[in-house]
């Protein structure tokens, strides 16, 4: 049993971390009343921007001359800038121009995935690689660096300490987001903006500023999920479309966690586990069954969506004005 | 008022919307320390616009505002707070899922972190000072309307307001709650706060205010010391010509049973009982008034009669002239409507049911008649004529019948809706909140319309919120409380207090709280 857990839990966690970034980012965004369905695209952009940054760094100086500091900072900054731009585009369209949030979000997803695959494909062309992927071994190593003492802690080390730093960043961000939302003035104002922007406006809160700020911050956090996926989970290997539909799972997780970033920690790991469950379930010789098992997270998502929509406690409802744009003169 | 030190002076305020609409035209007005000023005027006379300029929502095009003798410029709600002006809007500006305390400190930039506990203590302090009851930790969505209003008032006081503006605060309150509110307002006045109150109810103006200022069509007309003025004088000044204030109540002619409801029980989708074994009879040529605090089953009752609401048990019988009965439950709304049951439901947002905001007047008329066209084409001419007739007969103020309904003011929208329903010559007229938010003149037009229907032998079921009107208009009053019939009383002998008590407690009885 322990052996199974030692194999299963770390894989569930590494699967869950990108979801956690996406979920926390999207929760921050949605708390401001912006339903950013572009999260999936933003995570692609976050990933590819990191790849572009480290690709040029790695090819310029060569793997042996890279420093850990730059090897991490360059992709990190590239990723944050890329996702920030995506967040700004979304905000400009939905907050300033008051475009429909659903349509904009879906367009952002298509756009983001397109950007990812376009630049991914271009880089693959540049390297003249045999396989359709970009390999950034050294950067991957930097991102995967574990705590030095993890190896000596036995099962405890394997389950809790065997991850790259971004995994801990995700958990810390989730906790910080939870505290800010529930315990601070900023969080209170942000919640008010998402629930009832008219009221927030009358109370002297700058609705536009909060919406921009929360959405851009949320986009940056989501983007980190893409970066983690490429650099840590995939050990620095980018392949087009490898990220799959994790972005959508992250959005479903927001509902699953009823807009509470604190819950996203266990919920993402749970979903991460469901995502890889098919590897561990006995399938016998019938490979088709394995394919069916791969559908488990989606089935669970659907069931969860049904259950959450049945609950009618007011605290568990989405932010009141989620998906609606705010226009002062409307009132 | 002896102490003539104006806390607020408005001088030559003009506000225009677009080129044509002048909401306020050269209004000059003073408010003194420690007085309650009632602002009176018909719909569209610019009261709310004027007050919105004080609370920073609009900015005046011309004119000056002085607070405590200093010229000020109020550009947004924050400026208003800083000047000690607080407005309690008609539609509460509260976040439902937050607690009272969180709502009250929302947007404030106090020193230190978020300290709800300290805020709650200060809130309790304010409450004790003026006689409010607020639980700082209660969520807004669990509160009654009057509690929400209290939170709004505390919110304004918490921000240190010296001048409070209340926009139709009593529209949603029971008489008992209104009395409580007025007691609090008097306490605040005694504390030196100034209060501007907007209301349509004349008896409240006479009850609470020290001075009355009257606006008509955006212009300041005059002001009166309340103690020297009568309701009739106020109305005349407000409307600009003499108006009779009595609602007549003709004796019902030949009342016959028309709708007989027995043991009607209705549950909402989430299983809450909305109506509990309700039984009553509505007669032709009579107005049955339905009183009750909003949300006590009025809406469900009317919708059940119109066939829009699934019923759990009970029966709704339509009694024909020859005495035969037809069960309405199970019939679809179209069949019921064809039998002559007409629902002119005026929901809270007026346009929600009944009219389509972006369609014009004649198209809205067609919503009732679109099935009558020949072949696959609709008949557009007769609705157009009907629209023109309604506009003319009910004095609907509209640029043309091609104007989208949402561009009309509330009163005119209601006239259009009621006009259309009446035009189908119904035998049963269901109406809810038909005069909500209407000024006196428009309200009386609607009462008159309803009375005309009554005289024509229509069974009218009138859900209302203004008890004074219910008492003057209805032949019988059915009081709902928590989905149960609290009592059915004669409209001619009932008193307001009696009805008010029945609204809050089954069967009424002495208040023993």
């Amino acid at each position: 049993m322990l052996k199974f857990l030692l194999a299963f839990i770390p894989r569930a966690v590494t699967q869950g971390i990108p979801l956690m970034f996406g979920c926390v980012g999207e929760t921050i965004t949605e708390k401001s009343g912006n339903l950013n369905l572009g999260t999936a695209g933003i995570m692609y952009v976050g990933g590819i921007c990191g790849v572009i940054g480290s690709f040029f760094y790695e090819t310029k100086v060569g793997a042996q001359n890279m420093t850990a500091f730059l090897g991490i900072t360059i992709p990190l900054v590239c990723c944050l800038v890329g996702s920030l731009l995506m967040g700004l585009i979304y905000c400009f369209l939905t907050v300033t121009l008051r475009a429909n949030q659903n349509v904009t979000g879906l367009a952002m997803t298509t756009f983001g995935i397109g950007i990812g695959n376009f630049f991914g494909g271009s880089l693959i062309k540049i390297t003249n690689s045999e396989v359709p992927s970009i390999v950034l071994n050294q950067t991957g190593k930097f991102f995967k660096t574990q705590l030095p003492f993890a190896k000596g802690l036995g099962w405890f080390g394997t389950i809790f300490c065997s991850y790259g730093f971004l995994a801990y960043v995700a958990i810390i961000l989730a906790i910080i987001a939870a505290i800010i939302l529930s315990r601070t003035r900023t969080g209170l104002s942000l919640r008010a903006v998402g629930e009832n922007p008219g009221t927030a406006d009358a109370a002297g809160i700058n609705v536009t500023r909060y919406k921009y700020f929360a959405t851009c911050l949320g986009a940056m956090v989501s983007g980190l999920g893409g970066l983690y996926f490429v650099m840590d989970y995939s050990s620095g290997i980018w392949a087009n479309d490898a990220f799959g539909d994790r972005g959508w799972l992250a959005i479903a997780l927001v509902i699953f966690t009823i807009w509470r970033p604190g819950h996203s920690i266990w919920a993402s790991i749970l979903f991460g586990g469901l995502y890889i469950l098919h590897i561990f379930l006995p399938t016998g010789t019938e490979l088709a069954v394995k394919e069916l098992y791969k559908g488990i997270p989606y089935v669970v998502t659907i069931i969860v969506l049904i259950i959450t929509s049945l609950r009618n406690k007011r605290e568990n409802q989405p932010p009141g004005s989620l998906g609606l744009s705010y226009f002062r003169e409307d009132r | 008022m002896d102490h003539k030190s104006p806390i607020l002076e408005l001088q030559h305020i003009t506000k225009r919307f677009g080129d044509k609409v002048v909401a306020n035209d050269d209004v000059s007005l003073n408010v003194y320390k420690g007085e309650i000023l009632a602002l009176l005027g018909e719909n569209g006379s610019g009261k709310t616009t004027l007050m919105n300029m004080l609370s920073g929502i609009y900015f005046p095009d011309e004119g000056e505002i002085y607070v405590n003798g200093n010229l000020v410029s109020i550009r947004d709600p924050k400026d208003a707070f800083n000047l000690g002006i607080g407005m309690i809007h008609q539609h509460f500006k509260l976040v439902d899922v937050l607690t009272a305390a969180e709502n009250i400190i929302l947007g404030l930039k106090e020193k230190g972190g978020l300290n709800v506990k300290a805020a709650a203590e200060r809130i309790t302090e304010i409450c004790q000072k003026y006689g409010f009851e607020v639980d700082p930790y209660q969520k807004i969505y669990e509160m009654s309307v009057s509690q929400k209003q209290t939170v709004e008032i505390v919110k304004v006081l918490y921000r240190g307001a010296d001048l409070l503006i209340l926009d139709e605060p009593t529209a949603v309150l029971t008489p008992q709650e209104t009395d409580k509110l007025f007691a609090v307002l008097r306490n605040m006045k005694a504390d030196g706060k100034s209060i501007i109150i907007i209301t349509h109810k004349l008896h409240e103006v006479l009850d609470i205010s020290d001075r009355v200022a009257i606006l008509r069509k955006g212009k300041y007309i005059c002001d009166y010391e309340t103690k020297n003025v009568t309701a009739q004088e106020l109305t005349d000044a407000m409307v600009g010509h003499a108006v009779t204030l009595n609602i007549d109540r003709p004796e019902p002619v030949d009342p016959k049973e028309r709708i007989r409801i027995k043991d009607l029980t209705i549950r909402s989708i989430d299983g809450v009982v909305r109506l509990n074994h309700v039984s009553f009879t509505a007669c032709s040529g009579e107005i049955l008034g339905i009183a009750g605090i909003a949300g006590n089953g009025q809406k469900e009752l009317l919708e059940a009669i119109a066939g829009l609401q699934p019923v759990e048990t009970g029966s709704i019988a339509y009694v024909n002239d020859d005495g035969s009965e037809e069960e309405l439950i199970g019939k679809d709304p179209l069949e019921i409507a064809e039998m002559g049951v007409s629902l002119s439901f005026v929901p809270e947002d007026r346009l929600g049911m009944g009219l389509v905001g972006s369609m014009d007047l004649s198209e809205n008329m067609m919503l009732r008649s679109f099935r009558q066209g020949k072949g696959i084409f609709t008949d557009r001419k007769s609705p157009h004529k009907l629209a023109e007739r309604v506009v003319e007969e009910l004095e609907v103020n509209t640029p043309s019948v091609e104007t989208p309904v949402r561009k009309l003011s509330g009163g005119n929208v209601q006239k259009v809706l009621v006009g259309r329903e009446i035009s189908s010559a119904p035998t049963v007229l269901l109406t809810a909140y038909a005069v909500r938010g209407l000024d006196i003149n428009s309200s009386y037009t609607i009462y008159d319309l309803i009375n005309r229907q009554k005289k024509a032998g229509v069974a009218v079921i009138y859900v209302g919120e203004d008890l004074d009107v219910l008492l003057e208009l209805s032949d019988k009053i059915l009081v709902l409380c928590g989905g149960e019939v609290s009592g059915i009383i004669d409209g001619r002998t009932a008193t307001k207090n009696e009805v008010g008590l029945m609204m809050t407690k089954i069967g009424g009885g002495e208040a023993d709280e």
Side-chain angles (χ1 to χ4, degrees):
Chain A
M1 189 63 197
L2 186 67
K3 209 176 145 207
F4 165 72
L5 284 179
L6 283 183
F8 182 70
I9 292 181
R11 295 189 71 165
V13 173
T14 46
Q15 270 292 348
I17 294 299
L19 300 181
M20 200 185 300
F21 276 118
C23 176
V24 172
E26 180 67 10
T27 307
I28 298 172
T29 307
E30 290 194 12
K31 278 286 176 186
S32 76
N34 277 353
L35 176 65
N36 189 352
L37 294 179
T39 293
I42 291 172
M43 292 172 90
Y44 264 91
V45 171
I48 194 65
C49 288
V51 167
I52 294 170
S54 59
F55 176 81
F56 284 111
Y57 180 55
E58 208 165 319
T59 45
K60 186 110 190 170
V61 296
Q64 60 279 29
N65 296 329
M66 286 168 70
T67 62
F69 176 73
L70 283 179
I72 285 175
T73 313
I74 290 176
L76 199 61
V77 170
C78 291
C79 160
L80 290 176
V81 170
S83 342
L84 173 66
L85 281 175
M86 290 292 279
L88 279 174
I89 296 175
Y90 178 84
C91 282
F92 180 69
L93 290 173
T94 62
V95 180
T96 307
L97 301 180
R98 292 190 291 275
N100 180 300
Q101 294 190 8
N102 297 332
V103 176
T104 311
L106 291 173
M108 296 291 290
T109 291
T110 321
F111 176 59
I113 296 176
I115 285 192
N117 289 344
F118 172 73
F119 285 102
S122 313
L123 291 185
I124 294 166
K125 263 260 163 72
I126 294 176
T127 51
N128 271 327
S129 163
E130 297 279 304
V131 282
S133 58
I134 307 155
V135 184
L136 301 161
N137 274 330
Q138 192 55 37
T139 316
K141 258 183 212 144
F142 290 139
F143 274 88
K144 278 180 93 78
T145 309
Q146 299 177 5
L147 292 167
F149 51 81
K151 287 268 176 346
L153 292 172
W155 64 268
F156 183 83
T158 314
I159 290 181
F160 292 101
C161 308
S162 62
Y163 314 106
F165 77 99
L166 271 180
Y168 302 101
V169 170
I171 294 170
I172 292 167
L173 280 177
I175 295 171
I176 293 178
I179 292 174
I180 288 183
L181 279 176
S182 61
R183 302 273 167 82
T184 64
R185 258 172 222 290
T186 315
L188 182 64
S189 305
L190 179 61
R191 268 152 59 204
V193 168
E195 287 291 341
N196 192 337
T199 299
D201 196 13
I205 297 169
N206 189 329
V207 174
T208 308
R209 191 189 295 163
Y210 266 89
K211 280 191 170 232
Y212 260 88
F213 185 72
T215 308
C216 291
L217 189 72
M220 283 155 77
V221 172
S222 306
L224 285 177
L227 186 69
Y228 176 87
F229 179 80
V230 190
M231 296 305 179
D232 190 331
Y233 179 81
S234 319
S235 317
I237 298 168
W238 170 277
N240 280 355
D241 288 324
F243 188 70
D245 34 23
R246 288 177 174 80
W248 295 110
L249 268 186
I251 295 176
L253 262 175
V254 176
I255 302 169
F256 181 70
T257 58
I258 46 174
W259 291 268
R260 273 166 215 172
H263 286 314
S264 69
I265 298 172
W266 64 265
S268 341
I269 294 173
L270 175 75
F271 267 58
L274 292 174
Y275 212 85
I276 52 155
L277 199 58
H278 66 93
I279 302 171
F280 294 87
L281 287 174
T283 50
T285 52
E286 194 62 67
L287 280 175
V289 179
K290 211 176 190 77
E291 292 301 317
L292 275 181
Y293 286 154
K294 284 185 185 170
I296 291 176
Y298 306 98
V299 175
V300 172
T301 306
I302 291 170
I303 294 172
V304 163
L305 286 180
I306 293 170
I307 295 172
T308 39
S309 59
L310 284 178
R311 281 183 306 196
N312 38 25
K313 204 167 162 235
R314 284 297 291 272
E315 281 85 354
N316 297 340
Q317 298 299 313
S321 81
L322 185 62
L324 307 172
S325 41
Y326 175 63
F327 182 37
R328 186 189 267 194
E329 277 90 66
D330 251 1
R331 56 190 155 192
Chain B
M1 295 289 102
D2 297 329
H3 39 276
K4 285 277 182 196
S5 64
I7 179 170
L8 174 81
E9 282 173 77
L10 299 177
Q11 284 187 359
H12 312 293
I13 299 285
T14 300
K15 175 75 188 172
R16 294 183 198 89
F17 292 110
D19 295 334
K20 286 183 185 154
V21 186
V22 185
N24 287 125
D25 187 5
D26 194 20
V27 175
S28 299
L29 187 69
N30 287 355
V31 182
Y32 299 97
K33 194 170 157 46
E35 78 164 349
I36 299 181
L37 173 75
L39 202 54
L40 205 57
E42 298 193 78
N43 283 85
S45 60
K47 306 175 300 271
T48 305
T49 309
L50 187 64
M51 291 303 111
N52 278 340
M53 280 188 270
L54 290 177
S55 64
I57 290 170
Y58 299 140
F59 193 76
D61 295 331
E62 286 164 34
E64 287 115 39
I65 301 175
Y66 295 87
V67 174
N68 291 321
N70 306 316
L71 179 65
V72 296
S73 144
I74 306 173
R75 295 222 162 247
D76 64 43
K78 243 190 247 171
D79 292 345
F81 294 145
N82 294 339
L83 293 166
I85 299 172
M87 179 151 174
I88 290 109
H89 295 268
Q90 208 174 342
H91 304 286
F92 301 136
K93 298 213 172 275
L94 297 170
V95 180
D96 276 353
V97 292
L98 300 184
T99 63
E102 285 172 330
N103 264 292
I104 288 167
I105 57 174
L106 187 64
L108 283 180
K109 292 201 174 55
E110 289 174 319
K111 275 188 199 118
L114 180 68
N115 190 343
V116 178
K117 212 172 148 202
E121 274 165 29
R122 254 198 74 197
I123 291 164
T124 318
E125 220 172 274
I126 294 173
C127 291
Q128 276 164 358
K129 191 169 167 194
Y130 297 109
F132 294 112
E133 287 159 29
V134 171
D135 173 6
Y137 297 107
Q138 199 180 3
K139 295 265 164 105
I140 298 298
Y141 67 83
E142 296 168 341
M143 292 187 175
S144 69
V145 181
S146 92
Q147 283 173 308
K148 287 182 194 170
Q149 187 178 58
T150 314
V151 174
E152 281 278 18
I153 298 174
V154 175
K155 181 163 121 187
V156 165
L157 291 172
Y158 190 95
R159 283 150 207 249
D162 293 316
L163 174 67
L164 282 85
I165 303 165
L166 293 104
D167 192 355
E168 294 197 40
T170 59
V172 288
L173 302 182
T174 63
Q176 282 80 2
E177 287 167 341
T178 304
D179 287 346
K180 240 190 216 169
L181 172 70
F182 283 2
V184 169
L185 293 185
R186 289 195 186 96
N187 284 343
M188 292 199 281
K189 177 176 124 179
D191 192 45
K193 310 254 183 219
S194 309
I195 296 163
I196 302 178
I197 179 167
I198 301 179
T199 171
H200 288 311
K201 301 180 188 171
L202 287 174
H203 65 97
E204 290 177 356
V205 172
L206 297 172
D207 185 20
I208 186 81
S209 68
D210 300 308
R211 214 152 52 87
V212 193
I214 290 174
L215 292 182
R216 190 201 310 152
K217 294 190 177 146
K219 287 197 175 81
Y220 172 77
I221 301 300
C222 55
D223 71 334
Y224 297 101
E225 296 278 319
T226 308
K227 53 179 189 280
N228 303 330
V229 76
T230 64
Q232 189 65 53
E233 283 173 287
L234 289 178
T235 323
D236 293 351
M238 200 165 90
V239 181
H241 53 85
V243 182
T244 42
L245 265 191
N246 295 321
I247 306 175
D248 34 294
R249 176 160 48 191
E251 283 295 326
V253 183
D254 185 24
K256 271 193 233 136
E257 291 196 354
R258 178 97 322 148
I259 294 274
R260 193 183 295 131
I261 292 184
K262 262 199 203 114
D263 272 339
L264 188 67
T265 300
I266 291 175
R267 264 176 214 279
S268 63
I269 301 168
D270 32 334
V272 182
V273 177
R274 309 303 303 200
L275 281 184
N276 193 1
H277 295 286
V278 168
S279 304
F280 66 88
T281 313
C283 298
S284 64
E286 259 188 15
I287 296 179
L288 174 70
I290 296 189
I293 301 167
N296 270 280
Q298 298 94 319
K299 177 170 173 257
E300 287 78 7
L301 178 62
L302 293 199
E303 287 187 0
I305 299 173
L308 299 172
Q309 177 89 31
V311 170
E312 191 167 270
T313 57
S315 81
I316 303 173
Y318 179 87
V319 187
N320 287 319
D321 281 334
D322 55 13
S324 62
E325 288 184 20
E326 270 181 84
E327 180 61 42
L328 291 187
I329 293 175
K331 286 207 162 63
D332 71 42
L334 181 64
E335 288 177 85
I336 294 176
E338 277 169 359
M339 289 169 68
V341 178
S342 167
L343 176 71
S344 80
F345 194 75
V346 184
E348 272 159 55
D349 57 357
R350 286 185 189 128
L351 283 175
M353 274 171 81
L355 296 177
V356 179
S358 49
M359 293 186 2
D360 71 29
L361 264 65
S362 55
E363 283 169 332
N364 268 296
M365 296 296 164
M366 265 178 74
L367 290 180
R368 270 268 178 265
S369 65
F370 68 94
R371 287 190 187 79
Q372 289 162 4
K374 285 190 193 89
I376 57 166
F377 297 105
T378 49
D379 174 13
R380 289 186 155 269
K381 267 187 201 147
S382 49
H384 190 83
K385 270 184 208 144
L386 176 61
E388 278 173 346
R389 214 178 71 215
V390 168
V391 168
E392 201 190 302
E393 278 180 20
L394 306 186
E395 296 165 19
V396 179
N397 191 359
T398 170
S400 75
V401 289
E402 278 84 34
T403 309
V405 171
R406 75 184 141 79
K407 290 203 172 150
L408 305 185
S409 78
N412 290 313
V413 169
Q414 256 142 292
K415 283 182 192 168
V416 171
L417 180 59
V418 175
R420 185 189 73 194
E421 294 306 319
I422 289 174
S423 73
S424 63
T427 51
V428 179
L429 180 66
L430 309 169
T431 142
Y433 309 121
V435 297
R436 176 173 282 185
L438 293 199
D439 59 61
I440 295 188
N441 215 10
S442 319
S443 298
Y444 278 77
T445 317
I446 301 275
Y447 301 145
D448 191 41
L449 277 173
I450 291 174
N451 262 328
R452 266 195 267 163
Q453 292 300 305
K454 170 184 166 180
K455 276 185 225 162
V458 174
V460 180
I461 300 183
Y462 175 89
V463 175
E465 45 198 352
D466 187 339
L467 285 186
D468 293 287
V469 171
L470 265 176
L471 288 168
E472 279 185 67
L473 186 69
S474 318
D475 298 296
K476 280 188 293 187
I477 297 178
L478 173 105
V479 187
L480 282 177
C481 174
E484 290 181 48
V485 176
S486 188
I488 301 177
I489 45 181
D490 190 322
R492 287 178 173 74
T493 55
T495 66
K496 198 169 153 190
N497 202 34
E498 192 184 348
V499 177
L501 285 172
M502 285 166 76
M503 277 162 72
T504 49
K505 201 160 157 258
I506 298 289
E510 289 305 308
D512 47 18
E513 29 186 328

